[in-house]
Amino acid sequence: MSTLASSILTNLTAVTGLTGAELGYTVKSGASKRSTLAAMASQWVFNVRNYGALGDGVTNDQVAIDAAVAAAIAVKGTVYFPASTSANGFGYRGSIIVANVLGLRIMGDGYEGSILTHANTAINTLAITGTVSGSSGDIIIDGLHINGTSGQLGLYINNCIGIGLERLEIFGPSAAEGSVGYATNCYFYGSATLPGLRAGQDNITTTGFGQFTFTNCSFSNQSASGVTPALQIIGNTLGISFIGCGFAAHPTGATITINGPTGQTQGFSSVDFYSCHGESNYNAANDGADFIIGETTVTGHVGIHGGNFWGHGDGTNYRQDWLRVYKCKDLVVDGVEVSKLAATNGYSRAMIRLETGYPAAGDQYAFRNLLVLNSIPVYSDANSVLSVYTGNDWNGLLTGSATYDPANLADGAGATTTVTVTGAVLGMFAEATFSLDL
């Protein structure tokens, strides 16, 4: 055993070969080894302050930021933004534009301290892109507050594989396209004209946006007069999941909109929400919904599993559906609590509304175990072919029954009857039960 260990150590010594001078550090012995390892590790962390960035919220730090980013890219290292000294809330002034990079970390001391604000309003504040899918990847962005503009994006990612977003607070809209990865504990705040996050792009020929998981994230359009949703999902979006996320908006449209790419009929999209919370606020002039699915193009699968969604208004001029469904191939809503205020002037609408002509032939919708609280009367108009809300404790099922007393039947013979379910349309699931009294 000792001979084998000695042989291994000898072989390791033989293949190391490089001296401390060649590696750029001083070799120490004994108790100093740990500090030597720390020195080696620190070589791969590039502090923007060491390159001249001030982070005072006034000085343009672009040159220093570019130098630190370039140094980190060269060794697949980390760009570090220590807590800024800004008293005006702007922090480091500059942008990070990274293209076709594999292996990079961009880190701060948390979104309350490390603040990055554009110095050029004509470009995005932080952009990670690739020429083709996967040409950028293994990139982590952690612990930053990012300020965008109403016209440009705070964060933009495209054609990335292995992107990780952690502890980010982004003021100014964000967009994610053609990428695979995750986001956790992040806040996406949009503007009056752009959503908190636009996921995907309206192009059937692209890879779209998918295999991305958002956990404990928050989305908002941050405007009382906004006309865009907190979250907009569009195009080839396959395998997107939202777990324990929150959504809040003040739009005339919806808190969340989901549409597939233009020019196809199969619904190339798959989006699921697990234990999420949504909240909408509408004034007298507004008419919208928490979710609007497939309004402009066909969507594929949408699942809403658990969680709760609230609607708020002035109690008088209030017009809102919780879920409005147009073109969707596969819809599952299960175990959700929905609640909104009452209205008194007839503007009230249904908890769930299926637009005229939907579901179409071949579409499959399932509603199970819903709890409806503080509800308003069902709104019915020319656009509302089905209002599935029927009471305060609704289990999500439309029901019908019939009593049938057939004539005596010979062995092997059969008999049929018809059961009518008011409100059922082609494409819904059906479950039949019966009792037999002999």
Side-chain angles (χ1 to χ4, degrees):
M1 183 70 71
S2 60
T3 302
L4 177 60
S6 175
S7 174
I8 293 174
L9 289 174
T10 301
N11 290 337
L12 285 175
T13 303
V15 298
T16 14
L18 296 176
T19 67
E22 289 172 309
L23 289 174
Y25 65 91
T26 302
V27 178
K28 299 180 180 179
S29 60
S32 301
K33 288 183 178 179
R34 278 180 291 185
S35 61
T36 300
L37 292 174
M40 293 172 62
S42 68
Q43 291 186 19
W44 314 122
V45 177
F46 300 87
N47 188 328
V48 294
R49 293 272 184 87
N50 294 340
Y51 289 83
L54 298 182
D56 59 8
V58 178
T59 305
N60 188 331
D61 294 317
Q62 191 63 63
V63 173
I65 292 172
D66 289 344
V69 170
I73 290 175
V75 295
K76 302 184 185 299
T78 297
V79 182
Y80 172 51
F81 289 82
S84 58
T85 60
S86 168
N88 58 16
F90 291 112
Y92 298 94
R93 301 301 297 261
S95 301
I96 301 176
I97 311 297
V98 173
N100 301 315
V101 170
L102 296 173
L104 179 66
R105 302 293 185 270
I106 303 172
M107 305 187 72
D109 287 331
Y111 54 73
E112 292 185 352
S114 297
I115 302 169
L116 178 64
T117 301
H118 57 80
N120 181 352
T121 58
I123 61 178
N124 301 322
T125 305
L126 201 164
I128 311 292
T129 65
T131 303
V132 296
S133 179
S135 55
S136 278
D138 186 20
I139 297 174
I140 303 294
I141 307 170
D142 178 18
L144 291 173
H145 175 111
I146 302 170
N147 287 319
T149 68
S150 60
Q152 300 297 324
L153 301 175
L155 173 67
Y156 176 60
I157 60 173
N158 184 33
N159 284 335
C160 297
I161 291 181
I163 190 81
L165 309 176
E166 303 178 6
R167 301 185 305 149
L168 300 180
E169 186 172 63
I170 307 163
F171 276 84
S174 299
E177 303 169 351
S179 298
V180 175
Y182 70 90
T184 181
N185 297 321
C186 295
Y187 299 82
F188 299 88
Y189 298 101
S191 66
T193 57
L194 291 170
L197 174 67
R198 187 190 74 235
Q201 53 187 318
D202 188 14
N203 190 332
I204 192 174
T205 63
T206 67
T207 56
F209 178 68
Q211 300 180 51
F212 213 100
T213 300
F214 296 86
T215 305
N216 298 330
C217 294
S218 178
F219 304 81
S220 173
N221 70 349
Q222 282 292 295
S223 174
S225 60
V227 296
T228 55
L231 172 67
Q232 181 185 46
I233 300 175
I234 189 168
N236 293 327
T237 49
L238 300 176
I240 302 181
S241 298
F242 297 87
I243 303 173
C245 295
F247 307 88
H250 309 266
T252 58
T255 305
I256 301 167
T257 62
I258 305 173
N259 286 287
T262 299
Q264 58 82 36
T265 59
Q266 298 305 310
F268 296 148
S269 56
S270 177
V271 185
D272 284 278
F273 300 83
Y274 300 92
S275 300
C276 292
H277 171 76
E279 190 167 336
S280 301
N281 292 273
Y282 294 86
N283 60 37
N286 291 334
D287 174 10
D290 279 333
F291 278 86
I292 296 182
I293 298 174
E295 183 175 15
T296 59
T297 53
V298 179
T299 61
H301 165 78
V302 177
I304 307 172
H305 315 276
N308 56 78
F309 295 85
W310 301 346
H312 299 280
D314 59 14
T316 301
N317 298 294
Y318 186 74
R319 313 192 299 181
Q320 180 195 5
D321 307 316
W322 168 64
L323 173 65
R324 189 181 299 173
V325 186
Y326 293 80
K327 300 175 280 290
C328 184
K329 304 303 293 183
D330 176 44
L331 173 65
V332 177
V333 182
D334 187 10
V336 178
E337 175 189 304
V338 291
S339 172
K340 62 182 177 180
L341 299 179
T344 59
N345 65 354
Y347 283 146
S348 307
R349 291 201 169 178
M351 286 286 103
I352 300 172
R353 186 170 70 147
L354 307 185
E355 293 292 339
T356 303
Y358 303 103
D363 297 345
Q364 299 185 30
Y365 293 5
F367 303 98
R368 299 186 291 264
N369 304 316
L370 302 190
L371 176 62
V372 179
L373 303 173
N374 302 324
S375 59
I376 59 178
V378 174
Y379 182 83
S380 179
D381 61 12
N383 292 323
S384 185
V385 297
L386 176 64
S387 294
V388 295
Y389 165 69
T390 58
N392 251 5
D393 269 316
W394 181 54
N395 64 4
L397 298 178
L398 300 173
T399 60
S401 62
T403 301
Y404 181 49
D405 186 10
N408 293 332
L409 299 175
D411 289 345
T416 61
T417 190
T418 298
V419 178
T420 300
V421 180
T422 303
V425 293
L426 186 64
M428 286 186 167
F429 293 101
E431 179 180 343
T433 61
F434 70 93
S435 62
L436 184 63
D437 186 9
L438 300 176

